[in-house]
Amino acid sequence: MTQLLLNLRPEQAPSLDNFVVGANAELVGRLRGLADPGAFEVLYLWGPSGSGKSHLLAATTALAQPRRPVLALGGEEASDDMRIAPGGLLVVDDVQLLAEAAQVALFRVFNAVRLVGISLILAGTRPPRDLDLREDLRTRIGQALVYEVKLLSDDEKSAALRRHALERGLQVDEGLVRYLLRRGRRDLPSLMAVMENLDRASLEQRRPATLPLLKEVMELQFDDDNEPHPL
């Protein structure tokens, strides 16, 4: 197990097709529409870490880039220079991390949305009313189309994990998936990372994907993360 690469993430690039939709069908449909250069809307997505916001933003960015100018920024890296071409799409993740100058710049972009014909997709961890931002910007975000990214149910996570395993040619039984859901982290990217590690360990050790092997993988992941897993 010493050669096992920990904290792997799914190999596929984020796309709207490989996002596990769950109760977010309307949101995903709206994001598909924003790849069209003729679409001009402002969307705000919110939800906790691991809910899939960053996946959705990266997927929409990739879908839109061949069709319209796109500027994608993280809240920490954003500055007072947010230049987006007419007809373009501005994507900003983690708006709660915007510095004061970046907040002013984003407010100016809001004012130019209709004037120059651009779209905005913003994401944060809280609903607009709870964002610790300038009041004028917070109010503008609250006037956008606001979507809470709905977390998957355990049944939806189980189905996604089994499908992901099958796509990799990994045979797992339902009891193994239930154990992972009980003892692993709650967000789907972390759960899929464990499944990736299980597949790697199964191949390296030429062992079937059994519960004992899963426990070994999760123990190593526990040691590597230095964080407890919820029981």
Side-chain angles (χ1 to χ4, degrees), residues 109-120:
V109 172
F110 265 100
N111 291 337
V113 165
R114 296 299 178 188
L115 181 63
V116 298
I118 59 177
S119 292
L120 300 181

Side-chain angles (χ1 to χ4, degrees), residues 11-70:
E11 297 169 356
Q12 291 180 311
S15 75
L16 296 180
D17 291 328
N18 62 28
F19 179 74
V20 183
V21 175
N24 298 294
E26 180 182 339
L27 169 58
V28 171
R30 185 77 67 172
L31 291 173
R32 286 188 188 279
L34 286 183
D36 187 334
F40 305 110
E41 290 186 316
V42 181
L43 268 64
Y44 176 68
L45 287 57
W46 70 274
S49 177
S51 60
K53 303 186 304 297
S54 296
H55 180 117
L56 289 170
L57 265 57
T60 307
T61 296
L63 185 62
Q65 279 177 330
R67 308 180 192 182
R68 64 191 306 185
V70 179

Side-chain angles (χ1 to χ4, degrees), residues 101-169:
Q103 293 181 41
V104 173
L106 183 56
F107 180 76
R108 290 172 179 164
V109 172
F110 265 100
N111 291 337
V113 165
R114 296 299 178 188
L115 181 63
V116 298
I118 59 177
S119 292
L120 300 181
I121 307 175
L122 312 174
T125 55
R126 299 178 179 180
R129 66 179 180 274
D130 296 333
L131 289 171
D132 185 17
L133 298 172
R134 291 168 51 103
E135 180 62 21
D136 53 3
L137 177 59
R138 189 190 61 77
T139 300
R140 286 298 182 91
I141 292 175
Q143 295 169 350
L145 290 171
V146 178
Y147 286 91
E148 178 183 3
V149 182
K150 303 293 185 181
L151 296 174
L152 298 176
S153 68
D154 280 354
D155 286 344
E156 289 167 335
K157 291 177 185 177
S158 177
L161 289 169
R162 291 199 303 270
R163 183 171 65 248
H164 185 63
L166 287 173
E167 288 171 354
R168 297 181 63 86

Side-chain angles (χ1 to χ4, degrees), residues 77-92:
E77 66 178 334
S79 67
D80 60 353
D81 185 15
M82 293 188 186
R83 300 181 186 179
I84 183 69
L89 171 66
L90 175 63
V91 179
V92 183

